[in-house]
Amino acid sequence: MGYGELNIRSYNPQKDRARVEDLERRCEVGPAERGFLFTDTLGDPICRIRNSPIYNMIVAELNNKLVGVIQGSIKLVTIHKPPKNLARVGYILGLRVAPLYRRRGIGSSLVVRLEEWFIASGVDYAYMATEKDNDASFKLFVEKLGYVKFRTPAILVNPVNCPMYRISSKYEFEKLKVEEAESLYRKFMSSMEFFPSDIGNILRNKLSLGTWVAYPRGESWGEILPSSWAMVSVWNSGEVFKLRLGNAPTSCLMYTKSSQLMGNLVPCFKWRGIPDFMHPFGFYFIYGVCREGPMSGKLVRTLCRLVHNMAAKCRDCKAVVTEVGGSDTLRRHIPHWRLLSCPEDLWCIKGLKNEERESFYELIKTPTTRTLFVDPRE
């Protein structure tokens, strides 16, 4: 490498916590034209993977300076590849390299070391998510390390602001018990891509605020389901880490300032503006969106509004976020702002076992019409 000896090792909380937090504060996420996101891990650098079944963090030191970090988690999920539909997958996230030490091969060295841990743990596939326009990430994973484009989900962001949404009286709502929610998810979503086998653990996690269903008023919820229904679960990501927007686009800043001004000048005017994302904020993540019946789209929209109103009562929650498959028609029914959303996130995947190479190519050729289950722990 020519810059000193690079030491890659496992994360040591006593030695590395403060240094990893400092690195996280100095590393931006996302393309400049959309505004950088900075992460505050609230004193727990492994907060984003701590709730996963198996996880690991690896750090890189150069001349005794912590210059890079990467995280990974492992789980068993549904993945459509013949002859079997389950796979052990490793998710790569939180790759950070200090700005002054980039383009020295540190990032690729961290990924390779994490892949070695995946292989030793029996992982079939490694995958990662990045912005579609993140050239540095694309070149590293796709052009250098052999990952291939897999899915392009959409990240839909709706700002939490006043006034609250009006909820139609045409619909009934119920909060399900965890056991009932788990049963419904296994019945209706277990064949969806990346559905986690430990869905019960997700629903029972303290960060999962609950699962709600909506259906037409006048019908009942029971063993026989209504003619139309929708279901969502909610995860409080703000209890794990905070985000802060930096280098915000001029359009976003102008809209934020103008909406605040309108709210101050005319307090009785119901102006729905953008919250202050320049200071640390939390967000709710809607996951497990499931629906059936001709009215189900409207029911999904109504449930999203219900979650928005819940989030508005949380002091530092500034957004409700949902991620759906790129070709999923659900995106038409989920309230979101285009200015804040990402219409095409990019998932890339890599087969780690030679004996499954043929089924891997079948997997990446599978049409993207299926619903994608996005794990809130990631």
Side-chain angles (χ1 to χ4, degrees):
M1 183 173 294
Y3 297 97
E5 184 179 354
L6 183 67
N7 178 31
I8 297 181
R9 58 171 176 79
S10 296
Y11 167 73
N12 182 323
Q14 287 73 33
K15 181 180 179 180
D16 301 325
R17 177 180 284 112
R19 297 196 297 169
V20 171
E21 284 191 289
D22 178 66
L23 177 63
E24 189 74 55
R25 283 191 292 267
R26 291 185 288 121
C27 290
E28 71 283 351
V29 180
E33 62 271 14
R34 298 181 63 86
F36 293 129
L37 282 174
F38 294 88
T39 306
D40 180 355
T41 59
L42 305 179
D44 182 12
I46 61 172
C47 61
R48 290 187 61 192
I49 54 175
R50 185 179 292 282
N51 292 287
S52 298
I54 306 173
Y55 58 86
N56 193 11
M57 175 184 274
I58 297 170
V59 301
E61 285 181 317
L62 190 60
N63 299 326
N64 294 319
K65 293 183 179 180
L66 194 143
V67 296
V69 64
I70 195 170
Q71 302 178 39
S73 62
I74 299 173
K75 60 185 176 181
L76 188 67
V77 302
T78 301
I79 194 164
H80 297 281
K81 63 180 186 65
K84 54 185 179 179
N85 285 330
L86 285 176
R88 196 169 172 85
V89 298
Y91 181 54
I92 299 172
L93 73 161
L95 175 59
R96 307 281 189 267
V97 176
L100 294 178
Y101 294 88
R102 293 172 184 172
R103 297 180 179 86
R104 301 188 186 185
I106 296 173
S108 58
S109 296
L110 284 166
V111 176
V112 169
R113 180 63 63 87
L114 188 62
E115 287 179 347
E116 291 173 353
W117 175 68
F118 284 158
I119 293 170
S121 304
V123 167
D124 299 297
Y125 303 101
Y127 76 105
M128 49 76 68
T130 186
E131 284 269 356
K132 185 187 69 170
D133 299 325
N134 190 331
D135 292 335
S137 183
F138 184 86
K139 289 178 180 178
L140 171 61
F141 283 94
V142 177
E143 297 181 6
K144 185 173 183 178
L145 297 175
Y147 286 72
V148 295
K149 297 179 184 179
F150 178 55
R151 296 291 181 258
T152 54
I155 301 175
L156 309 177
V157 180
N158 203 39
V160 172
N161 40 34
C162 292
M164 291 188 178
Y165 283 113
R166 293 182 58 185
I167 304 297
S168 174
S169 59
K170 296 179 180 179
Y171 310 120
E172 299 275 6
F173 303 93
E174 285 192 31
K175 184 177 181 180
L176 301 181
K177 295 180 179 179
V178 170
E179 296 75 16
E180 186 178 4
E182 180 179 357
S183 176
L184 285 169
Y185 277 128
R186 294 194 183 279
K187 180 177 181 180
F188 291 98
M189 296 197 77
S190 62
S191 63
M192 304 305 179
E193 280 188 325
F194 279 74
F195 180 83
S197 64
D198 65 336
I199 181 65
N201 291 337
I202 298 175
L203 297 171
R204 291 178 178 85
N205 192 288
K206 63 179 182 180
L207 298 173
S208 193
L209 301 180
T211 302
W212 284 263
V213 293
Y215 52 93
R217 183 173 294 277
E219 300 189 39
S220 59
W221 185 267
E223 292 185 8
I224 300 177
L225 298 179
S227 58
S228 292
W229 59 274
M231 176 171 67
V232 302
S233 294
V234 185
W235 186 269
N236 186 3
S237 298
E239 287 295 316
V240 182
F241 61 91
K242 308 294 184 189
L243 296 175
R244 175 178 61 82
L245 183 65
N247 192 34
T250 303
S251 57
C252 182
L253 289 171
M254 291 180 63
Y255 198 100
T256 301
K257 294 299 183 182
S258 62
S259 62
Q260 291 173 348
L261 179 62
M262 286 294 295
N264 292 332
L265 292 177
V266 195
C268 62
F269 182 66
K270 295 183 178 181
W271 181 263
R272 192 175 296 279
I274 300 179
D276 180 9
F277 291 133
M278 311 308 154
H279 294 89
F281 66 92
F283 65 95
Y284 283 179
F285 185 77
I286 294 178
Y287 69 99
V289 184
C290 186
R291 61 184 179 126
E292 292 282 334
M295 295 178 59
S296 60
K298 292 181 179 179
L299 293 169
V300 167
R301 177 174 291 274
T302 301
L303 281 172
C304 289
R305 290 177 172 176
L306 183 72
V307 175
H308 174 279
N309 291 352
M310 289 169 45
K313 299 176 183 178
C314 180
R315 183 174 57 86
D316 69 343
C317 185
K318 297 292 194 298
V320 174
V321 181
T322 316
E323 190 164 6
V324 299
S327 59
D328 197 329
T329 57
L330 264 174
R331 62 195 300 173
R332 300 201 306 262
H333 305 290
I334 296 175
H336 64 280
W337 282 29
R338 291 185 180 181
L339 177 65
L340 304 175
S341 301
C342 175
E344 280 194 18
D345 199 25
L346 178 63
W347 284 22
C348 298
I349 195 167
K350 178 181 180 179
L352 298 181
K353 293 183 177 179
N354 291 331
E355 63 269 22
E356 295 190 355
R357 185 171 298 169
E358 185 175 338
S359 62
F360 170 67
Y361 288 112
E362 289 296 322
L363 170 67
I364 61 178
K365 289 190 297 184
T366 303
T368 61
T369 55
R370 296 180 184 272
T371 301
L372 188 67
F373 190 99
V374 180
D375 194 325
R377 297 172 294 191
E378 300 171 350

